Amino acid sequence: MEDLRYPLGPFRRPPSLDPAARAAAIETVARTPAAFRLAVRGLDDRQLDTPYRPGGWTVRQVAHHVPDSHMNAYVRFKLALTEEVPTIKPYMENLWAELPDSSLPIEPSLAMLEALHERWVALLRSLTPAQWERQLVHPESGQQRLDQVLAMYAWHGPHHTAQVTKLRERQGWG
């Protein structure tokens, strides 16, 4: 039976990414805003307020979560590029999804995702091989190289996009 939480399978952190894999991951990150916008296109409020799985977030909450998460990722990259192996601050994404701004219309979050990715992708494309080896420490998942963090977010955007598109398929929303 399909695990509705992970329509693309759970994330598996690679030991590192070679230049071709990094370039492909950056392109995936670059395409995420358009792909996510397409996934939610035309959904009405009732559909946006439908959980993508039983007990899961609503599509609206997912639409606000993606830019929240990617905003944190962008800051984490900047910290790792400007500090020596910084310990980053995790955030309680489940509680963020319950805050009042997660019930607002999704257009501002879609626009924020597009603007954020424009800057983030420009930064990612500018990194040198040595910069990709810089590291950060996540208190819950340990020390990671920036190329591993990139791999996580190249998975994360398509992961949430697939949650929405699979829901649309199951519901016959076209």
Side-chain angles (χ1 to χ4, degrees):
M1 181 169 167
E2 179 184 13
D3 185 343
L4 300 178
R5 290 175 304 165
Y6 299 105
L8 303 180
F11 174 68
R12 301 203 193 300
R13 186 184 329 163
S16 65
L17 297 180
D18 64 28
R22 276 196 313 263
I26 292 168
E27 289 313 307
T28 298
V29 170
R31 289 190 306 270
T32 292
F36 194 82
R37 184 177 282 280
L38 182 62
V40 298
R41 186 181 70 200
L43 295 180
D44 62 29
D45 282 336
R46 180 188 59 79
Q47 292 165 326
L48 289 170
D49 292 330
T50 301
Y52 77 90
R53 67 174 173 86
W57 286 343
T58 66
V59 173
R60 186 183 309 275
Q61 287 172 306
V62 172
H64 293 304
H65 162 73
V66 174
D68 284 348
S69 174
H70 293 196
M71 184 171 31
N72 275 281
Y74 178 60
V75 169
R76 291 169 180 178
F77 266 83
K78 288 189 147 217
L79 290 170
L81 290 167
T82 59
E83 299 177 17
E84 288 305 314
V85 193
T87 298
I88 57 97
K89 182 171 182 353
Y91 69 102
M92 302 186 79
E93 63 185 33
N94 287 333
L95 294 179
W96 282 37
E98 294 175 13
L99 291 172
D101 64 328
S102 290
S103 64
L104 294 172
I106 65 171
E107 181 54 39
S109 285
L110 298 175
M112 184 166 63
L113 187 66
E114 291 164 348
L116 173 64
H117 276 237
E118 186 174 339
R119 288 193 57 194
W120 189 18
V121 168
L123 177 66
L124 295 174
R125 288 179 175 151
S126 76
L127 298 185
T128 66
Q131 287 173 312
W132 283 110
E133 294 178 15
R134 293 188 64 88
Q135 299 180 19
L136 57 76
V137 176
H138 190 295
E140 297 165 358
S141 54
Q143 194 159 324
Q144 302 169 44
R145 293 165 38 116
L146 283 183
D147 60 351
Q148 293 173 309
V149 178
L150 171 65
M152 164 60 175
Y153 287 93
W155 169 85
H156 187 260
H159 159 72
H160 285 300
T161 302
Q163 287 174 334
V164 175
T165 57
K166 295 291 186 181
L167 173 64
R168 288 183 81 125
E169 291 170 11
R170 290 192 309 275
Q171 297 295 326
W173 291 344

